[in-house]
Amino acid sequence: MENDNSTVVKEFILLGLTQSRDIQLLVFVLILIFYLIILPGNFLIILTIRSDPGLTAPLYFFLGNLAFLDASYSFIVAPRMLVDFVSEKKVISYRGCITQLFFLHFLGGGEGLLLVVMAFDRYIAICRPLRYSTVMNPRACYALLLALWLGGFIHSIIQVALILRLPFCGPNQLDNFFCDVPQVIKLACTDTFVVELLMVFNSGLMTLLCFLGLLASYAVILCRVHGSSSEGKSKAVSTCTTHIIVIFLMFGPGIFIYTRPFRAFPADKVVSLFHTVIFPLLNPVIYTLRNQEVKASMRRLFNQHIA
């Protein structure tokens, strides 16, 4: 007799973003154009920060890492989705699905923690300026970077460990354009109530707590800035406003997807599209467009190469 806990499903069929060929073609063209324009912009941000000696402050160090994380994150889903748009058979192997799920939560969890670190950096810079150089020294910055990578790994490995314990022996159609926890769990040949609760706790609760904590921290920072009369007041407000925009872009879809029972909603695929493809590429660009130092450095870099 076959072991009930064995996984016999070797591949999953992705139903995709939509069944309409016309809509698929339109989305394919739009995302491809967006991808080819914005992705090089992220690498330009990294190159600019790495090559300009004037951009050595912790803020730019973490911004460069955000651009790297987001560029890496965009490679997990978008390229395969673009290929699937022009493919008749949209299939991903069981191992490929688990691998995609791991890196999705590894980089996504790391990015969420990076935003927490960036909030801490702004708090020290604005509320404790005299201690900033002591607290945010290079060693501390690298330690925080290592901690967020480790945190993302632990978060993701818990997700994968819970999935690997589930038996998949029947249906193998994933109603999405990529592998993620809510859709994969629903295909398991067992009661998944406890696993869903653990997943909601690991992903949903962590996302919600980070979101609320970040909003509270920036509220404190903005109140402190509002009560000051320093020359850098407008710059501090601009920086914090940019961070808050990215926090909503990053955590909003995550809260919608992971903090509720894993039931399908009509908006799930659209929210997932923005969460995994659009917003990750936009985040560093939003930071850069509102940062005069980075924009000035980009112009200098561009002029050096055309001179």
Side-chain angles (χ1 to χ4, degrees), residues 87-102:
S87 303
E88 288 297 328
K89 193 176 182 182
K90 304 172 179 61
V91 175
I92 185 170
S93 67
Y94 176 79
R95 289 185 178 181
C97 181
I98 296 298
T99 302
Q100 186 181 64
L101 192 150
F102 169 78

Side-chain angles (χ1 to χ4, degrees), residues 158-191:
I158 292 173
Q159 304 278 85
V160 170
L162 291 172
I163 291 289
L164 290 176
R165 292 174 60 86
L166 296 175
F168 296 93
C169 52
N172 66 337
Q173 290 188 337
L174 284 173
D175 189 18
N176 213 333
F177 54 91
F178 69 105
C179 282
D180 200 7
V181 172
Q183 292 78 30
V184 174
I185 279 184
K186 285 302 181 184
L187 297 182
C189 304
T190 186
D191 181 20

Side-chain angles (χ1 to χ4, degrees), residues 3-297:
N3 188 350
D4 290 338
N5 290 326
S6 63
T7 296
V8 297
V9 170
K10 300 301 181 185
E11 63 182 22
F12 293 106
I13 299 173
L14 301 173
L15 298 183
L17 188 63
T18 176
Q19 299 301 310
S20 170
R21 295 299 299 176
D22 292 336
I23 297 178
Q24 284 186 22
L25 180 61
L26 176 62
V27 175
F28 172 82
V29 172
L30 292 177
I31 291 180
L32 182 61
I33 294 172
F34 177 83
Y35 202 67
L36 293 178
I37 293 174
I38 303 296
L39 184 62
N42 282 343
F43 288 115
L44 178 60
I45 294 170
I46 298 172
L47 177 63
T48 301
I49 293 173
R50 295 276 297 177
S51 61
D52 191 336
L55 299 178
T56 56
L59 172 64
Y60 304 114
F61 172 74
F62 293 127
L63 176 57
N65 280 279
L66 177 68
F68 174 77
L69 270 173
D70 279 328
S72 302
Y73 192 84
S74 69
F75 280 114
I76 300 172
V77 174
R80 183 180 184 90
M81 182 181 67
L82 291 173
V83 172
D84 285 343
F85 274 139
V86 295
S87 303
E88 288 297 328
K89 193 176 182 182
K90 304 172 179 61
V91 175
I92 185 170
S93 67
Y94 176 79
R95 289 185 178 181
C97 181
I98 296 298
T99 302
Q100 186 181 64
L101 192 150
F102 169 78
F103 281 104
L104 192 72
H105 287 270
F106 175 39
L107 297 177
E111 183 175 350
L113 294 174
L114 177 56
L115 293 178
V116 173
V117 170
M118 294 176 77
F120 175 72
D121 171 72
R122 289 301 85 201
Y123 173 80
I124 298 297
I126 295 171
C127 300
R128 300 287 187 272
L130 297 180
R131 299 183 58 191
Y132 183 71
S133 59
T134 303
V135 175
M136 299 304 294
N137 59 70
R139 178 177 290 185
C141 290
Y142 281 106
L144 289 169
L145 186 66
L146 177 62
L148 69 89
W149 279 99
L150 182 61
F153 177 80
I154 293 173
H155 161 70
S156 183
I157 207 68
I158 292 173
Q159 304 278 85
V160 170
L162 291 172
I163 291 289
L164 290 176
R165 292 174 60 86
L166 296 175
F168 296 93
C169 52
N172 66 337
Q173 290 188 337
L174 284 173
D175 189 18
N176 213 333
F177 54 91
F178 69 105
C179 282
D180 200 7
V181 172
Q183 292 78 30
V184 174
I185 279 184
K186 285 302 181 184
L187 297 182
C189 304
T190 186
D191 181 20
T192 59
F193 177 74
V194 175
V195 177
E196 286 187 38
L197 285 181
L198 292 173
M199 291 292 191
V200 169
F201 179 80
N202 184 38
S203 288
L205 186 60
M206 187 186 81
T207 302
L208 183 61
L209 290 177
C210 284
F211 175 73
L212 295 176
L214 285 167
L215 288 185
S217 65
Y218 279 112
V220 171
I221 294 172
L222 289 173
C223 288
R224 183 66 177 266
V225 170
H226 182 71
S228 68
S229 57
S230 62
E231 295 178 358
K233 181 176 179 179
S234 61
K235 180 181 176 181
V237 171
S238 176
T239 301
C240 290
T241 303
T242 303
H243 287 208
I244 292 170
I245 292 172
V246 173
I247 287 167
F248 273 98
L249 294 181
M250 168 71 185
F251 287 96
I255 291 171
F256 177 82
I257 295 170
Y258 300 115
T259 58
R260 57 179 170 81
F262 294 156
R263 297 191 183 95
F265 284 83
D268 282 353
K269 292 183 181 181
V270 176
V271 173
S272 294
L273 176 65
F274 280 91
H275 185 53
T276 58
V277 180
I278 306 298
F279 290 157
L281 291 173
L282 279 179
N283 287 346
V285 176
I286 293 171
Y287 273 104
T288 305
L289 291 177
R290 294 178 62 89
N291 191 295
Q292 297 300 324
E293 288 83 357
V294 177
K295 287 194 290 185
S297 181

